Every structure is written in C-alpha cells, then in structure tokens.
Amino acid sequence: MMGPDDERHVLNVVVDNEAGILAKIAGLFTARGYNIDSLTVADISEDHAVSRITIVTGGPPQVIDQIRAQLERLIPVHKVIDLTEEGPHVERELALVKVAGKGEIRVEALRIAELFRANVVDTTTSSFVFELTGSPDKVASFIALMRELGLVEVGRSGIVGMMRGADKI
C-alpha cells in the first residue's frame, strides 16, 4: 500500500537476455522490502541478446532513486529509464476478462465491452471472454463494471511502457 509521499514509477530496464537476470532483479526488490506492482519481460533484439523488463513500483522519491541506482549497478543491466521522470510516455496492459450471465446481463456486458472497445475472444451460451487493451485505469474500470455483471475470472499481462517520440532507448 502506498503512503502519502509515495509515487508510482514505471521503469524500463534494458538487460542482457541471460538466465537468472529476472531472479537477480526480483531479489534486489525482495531483499530491500520494495514492492513490484507489475512486471513484464520481453526479448527486444533481433539476435535475442537483449530484453526489456518493465517494472511498476512505488515509494518516496529517495527510495525510487535508490532502486534505480541499485538496478544500474547490476552487471547485465545496460540501462535503466524511469519513464515517469523522463516525460510523456505510453503505458498499455492486456487483460482477459471472463463474464458469465444470461439474458439482460449478457446484453449489458456486450454493450459495455463495445464502449471499452473490448473484443470477444471466446463465447458460450452462458459466458464471454473479453480481450481488452489499454491504460491500467481503463482496464481497472472495465473489470469493476464487469464485477457487477458476473465476473468469473481475470488475467492481466502487466504494464508495458515506452517513451513517446522518435528516440530509441
């Protein structure tokens, strides 16, 4: 839970794509009692040598600075970018949301899904699985509305983020 001085930060960590790097980074957070709110990892180079780890965390400014400094000291880390501090950036998350219901509930779930631009990726006579991509707030709002209509299950990918503009990390 975030305190009054805590700030949410999205960090992009560019690393060598090698076994154990994710465990090192998670261990760094665990050892110091820092929380990871979201974590995603993907290979970003053609030769599969480099990965981008996107971490969403929170804390007072001095803790965020400490996290960055400690990440930068890890050997396989090439670069740490705090998207929150760097400026305008894009954040997206993917969610699969299963909703069960019949009759009017089913119609209402479809209507809300259309408003949120969610796609139906699976359907039965008594349920839907929706796929939704958007900001974390958009995903959370959609899930909250579906809770009232028979939410069964949610799977969220975690956040990926990137700076706006033509520059490369």
Side-chain angles (χ1 to χ4, degrees):
M1 179 168 232
M2 298 226 306
D5 295 334
D6 290 356
E7 300 173 350
R8 176 184 175 275
H9 284 256
V10 179
L11 307 174
N12 272 343
V13 185
V14 179
V15 299
D16 287 336
N17 190 6
E18 61 182 45
I21 182 58
L22 189 56
K24 279 183 184 180
I25 289 173
L28 181 148
F29 276 77
T30 301
R32 288 151 184 87
Y34 305 148
N35 192 39
I36 296 175
D37 296 324
S38 174
L39 176 74
T40 58
V41 183
D43 172 11
I44 61 168
S45 61
E46 194 173 329
D47 63 357
H48 309 290
V50 179
S51 290
R52 177 195 319 237
I53 300 173
T54 304
I55 302 168
V56 178
T57 190
Q62 66 272 20
V63 168
I64 300 298
D65 291 343
Q66 188 177 28
I67 289 170
R68 275 192 68 181
Q70 290 170 350
L71 285 170
E72 288 168 345
R73 280 197 289 270
L74 292 176
I75 295 301
V77 172
H78 294 269
K79 188 186 275 189
V80 178
I81 299 107
D82 186 340
L83 296 180
T84 307
E85 288 185 358
E86 290 291 322
H89 64 279
V90 177
E91 293 178 29
R92 289 295 179 265
E93 183 176 12
L94 168 75
L96 294 177
V97 180
K98 186 186 294 185
V99 179
K102 294 188 181 240
E104 284 303 310
I105 288 176
R106 194 171 170 81
V107 171
E108 183 66 6
L110 279 172
R111 187 185 71 74
I112 291 170
E114 186 177 329
L115 289 172
F116 277 80
R117 295 188 178 115
N119 297 315
V120 176
V121 293
D122 184 63
T123 186
T124 68
T125 57
S126 61
S127 69
F128 291 110
V129 175
F130 297 107
E131 172 191 70
L132 176 68
T133 305
S135 70
D137 289 342
K138 177 183 176 180
V139 171
S141 295
F142 182 76
I143 291 167
L145 289 169
M146 290 299 143
R147 232 179 217 73
E148 299 175 27
L149 297 175
L151 180 72
V152 175
E153 188 176 354
V154 175
R156 294 176 80 161
S157 66
I159 294 166
V160 292
M162 187 174 290
M163 294 302 302
R164 295 189 66 211
D167 293 339
K168 178 179 168 184
I169 61 168

